[in-house]
Amino acid sequence: MAESSKPILYSYFRSSCSWRVRIALALKNIDYETVAINLTKDGGQQFSGEFQALNPMKQVPALKIDGITIGQSLAIIEYLEETRPTPRLLPWDPKKRAQVRMVSDLIASGIQPLQNLSVLKQVGQENQLTWAQQAITSGFNALEQILQSTAGRYCVGDEVSMADLCLAPQVANADRFKVDLTPYPTISRINKSLLALEAFHVSHPCRQPDTPPELRA
Amino acid sequence: MAESSKPILYSYFRSSCSWRVRIALALKNIDYETVAINLTKDGGQQFSGEFQALNPMKQVPALKIDGITIGQSLAIIEYLEETRPTPRLLPWDPKKRAQVRMVSDLIASGIQPLQNLSVLKQVGQENQLTWAQQAITSGFNALEQILQSTAGRYCVGDEVSMADLCLAPQVANADRFKVDLTPYPTISRINKSLLALEAFHVSHPCRQPDTPPELRA
């Protein structure tokens, strides 16, 4: 019984949105099982009938927890925050919470969707790199400026928040797409601090059950 | 003094993200001033130095309120919900809240960003309609399926929620891009109910201070 009530995370090692949720689960010390959904194998396992029934968006992550299945990484994180509040991922001050959500949404709505796998397929092989770089640099230009006024050690002040759960995975995507991070000293500094944390380490794409051997670290 | 403390909404009549916030302000009966940012005039007024200083993302909406400026529509709505909780836009039950946020994020991260003005500029004039239709139908296919299990009179149950604030503006975009709504009976039914509500009526794109005379209704 205990076993069957463990949350199940449908995840892909390289998905930045899945990584956001893995960090939240690790920070909140929530034990869970991973079901790997390989976004590139078999034409994309997210398109299987079985997975579509679970998440009609055909995207990872999805989290089965407390008898429901939630899609959309930020909706999942907000649910975890409301039902497992310790340690908190949103500050108590509503104005600081607004900053955390603004930074999170900037990444989750303003950057990531424009450079995800399905969009890159649509723009075609030869344009993918330029397209992704454009989406990320445009977003990072804004983000760097915002963080200069909100950041302490992390994105908003000195406590890790939902915004940081979005930042590190997005910087990893920037690396993959060979974006020059020199113009973004604040983003780079915060990312470095985050990667040194245990929860970011264990949840990292290179350490997941579905990480291919050649990418493990 | 009273005058200067009124919230200021930086908005564009046709922006679906601005409309989301206008509905929230109307529902919560918050008096505010509109500063119109014309996204197409003067090469885009969102690119002015003055507006960039306010919102580095160079996007509307942005809301000046309580001494801070918040960008990103859902971050704004969550802030309004936390500081002006009546009437509520999120249900009290955490599982229902998760459904509301999932539907909101599906639209705000999964559909709207892929068919906004800046992306359509990038894909080029001749591909714009097909691109936008593809983004919307792909999202609506998922949304219709999800709503069939979450909806009552509105997106989640029988109370208007943040999800509805995302739905109606996205359906308006679908109309603009000539998406056939026949396959989406649940979306269409909810949208019709929403448009009959006063808060959706007064905040409608065809009734804003910056709506051009020929588009007013």
Side-chain angles (χ1 to χ4, degrees):
Chain A
M1 281 302 286
E3 195 64 19
S4 71
S5 68
K6 216 189 254 189
I8 299 175
L9 178 67
Y10 297 83
S11 169
Y12 179 54
F13 75 102
R14 190 139 67 184
S15 145
S16 64
C17 302
S18 298
W19 189 10
R20 293 175 195 158
V21 175
R22 293 196 303 258
I23 303 167
L25 291 164
L27 281 169
K28 289 179 179 289
N29 207 15
I30 302 167
D31 193 21
Y32 67 99
E33 281 174 50
T34 298
V35 171
I37 303 295
N38 191 317
L39 303 188
T40 61
K41 202 175 154 189
D42 310 329
Q45 295 176 342
Q46 72 277 26
F47 300 116
S48 77
E50 196 186 351
F51 187 72
Q52 277 192 52
L54 204 80
N55 184 8
M57 273 301 272
K58 301 172 246 175
Q59 290 175 338
V60 287
L63 185 69
K64 234 188 214 174
I65 189 167
D66 303 338
I68 56 170
T69 302
I70 316 173
Q72 301 294 332
S73 60
L74 298 190
I76 296 172
I77 294 168
E78 294 264 6
Y79 178 78
L80 294 175
E81 181 71 359
E82 292 186 341
T83 56
R84 282 96 171 151
T86 310
R88 67 175 176 224
L89 296 176
L90 288 168
W92 64 266
D93 173 18
K95 293 182 185 178
K96 297 276 175 205
R97 293 163 76 91
Q99 291 182 334
V100 167
R101 290 195 174 107
M102 175 173 64
V103 169
S104 302
D105 289 350
L106 189 161
I107 296 170
S109 294
I111 305 179
Q112 193 281 331
L114 303 177
Q115 50 92 82
N116 80 358
L117 194 60
S118 61
V119 169
L120 293 183
K121 264 187 202 160
Q122 269 185 276
V123 302
Q125 187 86 48
E126 69 284 11
N127 302 318
Q128 287 186 358
L129 194 67
T130 320
W131 177 282
Q133 287 175 340
Q134 150 70 16
I136 295 171
T137 55
S138 165
F140 275 16
N141 288 342
L143 189 56
E144 177 69 21
Q145 197 177 326
I146 289 170
L147 292 177
Q148 280 171 12
S149 69
T150 62
R153 181 163 178 81
Y154 303 115
C155 284
V156 177
D158 294 322
E159 281 180 40
V160 172
S161 73
M162 183 165 70
D164 300 295
L165 276 52
C166 296
L167 186 79
Q170 188 58 56
V171 174
N173 280 352
D175 280 339
R176 266 178 71 210
F177 293 117
K178 305 183 202 323
V179 171
D180 174 19
L181 291 175
T182 319
Y184 312 115
T186 314
I187 292 174
S188 302
R189 169 182 66 73
I190 296 170
N191 184 58
K192 202 177 158 193
S193 302
L194 292 170
L195 293 184
L197 301 175
E198 173 72 7
F200 287 71
H201 183 85
V202 297
S203 59
H204 193 281
C206 72
R207 276 174 213 100
Q208 296 314 298
D210 58 330
T211 309
E214 67 275 19
L215 297 175
R216 300 192 79 85
Chain B
M1 278 304 285
E3 195 63 20
S4 72
S5 68
K6 216 189 256 189
I8 299 174
L9 179 67
Y10 298 84
S11 170
Y12 179 54
F13 75 102
R14 189 140 64 186
S15 146
S16 65
C17 302
S18 299
W19 189 11
R20 294 175 195 158
V21 175
R22 294 196 303 258
I23 303 168
L25 291 164
L27 280 169
K28 289 178 178 290
N29 207 12
I30 301 168
D31 192 22
Y32 68 98
E33 282 173 49
T34 298
V35 171
I37 303 295
N38 191 317
L39 303 188
T40 60
K41 203 175 151 189
D42 312 329
Q45 295 176 343
Q46 73 277 26
F47 300 117
S48 76
E50 196 186 349
F51 187 72
Q52 277 192 51
L54 204 79
N55 184 7
M57 273 301 270
K58 301 172 245 175
Q59 290 174 337
V60 287
L63 185 70
K64 237 188 210 172
I65 189 167
D66 303 338
I68 56 170
T69 302
I70 316 174
Q72 302 294 332
S73 60
L74 297 190
I76 295 171
I77 294 167
E78 293 264 8
Y79 178 78
L80 294 176
E81 180 72 0
E82 292 186 341
T83 57
R84 281 98 171 151
T86 310
R88 67 177 177 223
L89 297 175
L90 288 168
W92 64 265
D93 172 19
K95 292 181 187 178
K96 297 276 175 204
R97 294 163 76 90
Q99 291 181 333
V100 168
R101 290 195 174 108
M102 175 172 64
V103 169
S104 303
D105 290 350
L106 188 162
I107 296 170
S109 294
I111 305 179
Q112 193 283 330
L114 302 177
Q115 50 91 84
N116 79 359
L117 195 59
S118 61
V119 168
L120 293 183
K121 265 188 200 159
Q122 268 186 277
V123 302
Q125 188 85 48
E126 69 284 11
N127 303 318
Q128 287 185 0
L129 195 66
T130 320
W131 178 281
Q133 287 175 339
Q134 148 71 17
I136 295 171
T137 55
S138 164
F140 275 16
N141 289 341
L143 189 56
E144 176 70 20
Q145 198 177 325
I146 289 170
L147 292 177
Q148 280 171 12
S149 70
T150 64
R153 181 163 178 80
Y154 303 115
C155 283
V156 177
D158 294 321
E159 281 181 40
V160 171
S161 73
M162 183 165 70
D164 299 296
L165 277 52
C166 297
L167 186 79
Q170 188 58 56
V171 174
N173 280 351
D175 279 338
R176 266 179 70 210
F177 293 117
K178 305 180 201 326
V179 171
D180 174 19
L181 291 176
T182 319
Y184 312 115
T186 315
I187 292 175
S188 302
R189 170 181 66 74
I190 296 170
N191 183 57
K192 203 179 157 192
S193 301
L194 292 170
L195 293 184
L197 302 175
E198 172 72 8
F200 286 71
H201 183 85
V202 298
S203 60
H204 193 280
C206 72
R207 277 174 212 100
Q208 297 313 299
D210 59 330
T211 309
E214 67 275 19
L215 297 176
R216 299 192 80 85

